[in-house]
Amino acid sequence: MTRIVRRHAMRVLNATDIDAVSRHRLCCAAMIPNRQPSPVDCPDPLTRAPRVTVAGTAERARLHLAPLALQGAVTAVILRDTRGAALTDAQRLSHFPASPLVCLSWFQGLDAGFVERTAGGVRWRPCGAAVMLSGSQSRPTVGWAPTTGRAGMLCVPADVARTLFGVDVAAVHDRFVPAREVLDADWWPLLDALLDAPDDAATLAALECHMADRWRTLQGRALSFPSLRRFGRHWVERLAWQAHQWRRTHSPRQVERRIMAHSGRSLRQWQTLVKTEGVFFTARERYESGLPVDWAELAHDEGFADQAHLCRAVKRITGFSPNDFARRFAEDESFWLYRIWM
């Protein structure tokens, strides 16, 4: 309240006013996806372009696990720097999977946006802000930028986004919203620090500086996720346990509504997402070991009814069949995120 009074010195806001401000902020955020697209021409989201490798240079995309002080709060930090890289329009595409994570993304020196296929053809929708917050995603997305630059992505579990950042995870499910529209002003110094960070070390230091004390105060202790592969299973196990506790005092329908409000999607959807991600990790391990990939066998091992069930799940998360996804994973520049994650 002190902060609100300071920013509006001519008037003291009461609870009704604050509710109105909150509703206005959410309404503004809701209108973002409906803005008119930029006239900038963009490639078709299915356009293929080969991976770009330059001997003797550092990897353009890197994945960092959580700093020690942020274990349990941060799943991963993804950083990509394409400055100085001669990328074609198609090589500046980026494919992102459906995901249970809430992400804070920032862009330095580039105007990032999303490519969409509509009845009127392919269009590019720019984000319109240098820092965006996205909720869990039930479908794959394709990003694109007309220039090169540096970008980062902070990935956190949905429950951390709710308790640490104060985000209504159900309200941002399947959405991308300017971060300053939904995060309290106390978090804006973090957003500024991320935009000012010149390299990976400075980015990680900024995250630790602005988040560690709050996380320690909130959590009381640091939880540890031993690996990215384990993270998804750990999260779903905790969600299933919470659902089990709620069933003692609530009807099945009430439990379903609570799970949706708590996490943005149903428990069954979370379980399918985690099972499918397990297939990706196993397929990569077999590929790197020189072993053939048997999709029917993988479907059985990961708990799918059959291969067709697995194929539907993979397409729902990535937008591609397992075979098409495997080819693009190995060959296409736009699949860089999958390669550093798995």
Side-chain angles (χ1 to χ4, degrees):
M1 178 66 72
T2 301
R3 185 179 64 259
I4 295 176
V5 171
R6 184 172 64 250
R7 294 178 64 196
H8 303 273
M10 300 300 295
R11 179 187 177 198
V12 177
L13 302 183
N14 57 32
T16 303
D17 293 324
I18 295 172
D19 288 342
V21 170
S22 298
R23 287 195 300 271
H24 174 71
R25 289 168 65 188
L26 286 175
C27 287
C28 290
M31 291 189 291
I32 293 296
N34 296 321
R35 294 182 310 175
Q36 290 299 313
S38 166
V40 175
D41 290 332
C42 64
D44 187 282
L46 298 182
T47 303
R48 300 192 61 184
R51 294 172 61 178
V52 178
T53 56
V54 181
T57 61
E59 288 292 328
R60 285 185 300 278
R62 292 165 298 282
L63 183 146
H64 299 275
L65 297 180
L68 182 61
L70 294 176
Q71 286 187 356
V74 173
T75 303
V77 181
I78 298 168
L79 299 169
R80 191 173 194 236
D81 190 347
T82 58
R83 292 173 297 185
L87 302 181
T88 66
D89 282 351
Q91 287 170 331
R92 290 196 300 275
L93 289 169
S94 294
H95 285 267
F96 302 101
S99 171
L101 298 169
V102 174
C103 297
L104 184 70
S105 303
W106 60 97
F107 313 105
Q108 299 172 316
L110 56 82
D111 188 8
F114 295 93
V115 181
E116 302 171 336
R117 190 185 301 280
T118 68
V122 173
R123 71 172 185 175
W124 178 59
R125 176 170 56 85
C127 293
V131 189
M132 300 289 289
L133 187 136
S134 58
S136 62
Q137 302 295 307
S138 61
R139 63 184 71 88
T141 55
V142 182
W144 185 75
T147 62
T148 56
R150 186 171 182 269
M153 185 185 301
L154 172 70
C155 307
V156 302
D159 56 346
V160 171
R162 186 182 62 255
T163 57
L164 181 60
F165 290 119
V167 174
D168 182 348
V169 293
V172 296
H173 175 58
D174 277 336
R175 295 178 59 207
F176 293 81
V177 182
R180 295 177 194 271
E181 296 282 355
V182 291
L183 293 184
D184 188 88
D186 285 347
W187 286 107
W188 293 2
L190 168 62
L191 309 186
D192 294 335
L194 293 174
L195 289 173
D196 292 338
D199 53 34
D200 289 19
T203 297
L204 296 175
L207 291 171
E208 192 162 357
C209 174
H210 291 276
M211 293 178 62
D213 286 346
R214 299 186 190 199
W215 174 241
R216 279 192 292 266
T217 299
L218 178 67
Q219 195 68 9
R221 62 187 177 90
L223 301 177
S224 177
F225 297 118
S227 69
L228 287 174
R229 184 172 190 171
R230 177 62 185 151
F231 159 74
R233 297 183 188 276
H234 185 96
W235 157 247
V236 172
E237 287 167 2
R238 283 193 292 156
L239 194 61
W241 178 85
Q242 182 66 74
H244 177 74
Q245 296 296 107
W246 283 334
R247 287 191 183 102
R248 296 179 178 180
T249 54
H250 297 79
S251 70
R253 185 176 295 277
Q254 288 175 319
V255 171
E256 289 178 8
R257 285 199 295 265
R258 277 177 166 256
I259 290 290
M260 288 293 293
H262 182 77
S263 68
R265 68 180 76 192
S266 71
L267 180 58
R268 177 175 293 183
Q269 289 173 319
W270 286 112
Q271 291 168 332
T272 299
L273 190 62
V274 167
K275 282 199 304 183
T276 309
E277 188 177 52
V279 171
F280 297 151
F281 279 105
T282 302
R284 174 156 191 170
E285 289 168 0
R286 294 185 65 84
Y287 173 79
E288 292 182 342
S289 301
L291 300 174
V293 177
D294 186 327
W295 296 112
E297 180 182 347
L298 286 181
H300 177 269
D301 291 345
E302 295 295 333
F304 288 90
D306 51 31
Q307 183 175 344
H309 184 198
L310 167 63
C311 291
R312 290 194 298 271
V314 170
K315 190 159 189 177
R316 196 159 47 240
I317 292 172
T318 69
F320 302 93
S321 69
N323 284 330
D324 195 11
F325 172 81
R327 285 192 297 270
R328 290 171 178 264
F329 176 92
E331 300 170 3
D332 288 16
E333 177 68 20
S334 62
F335 275 60
W336 61 268
L337 177 63
Y338 289 98
R339 285 191 291 270
I340 65 171
W341 188 271
M342 297 177 191

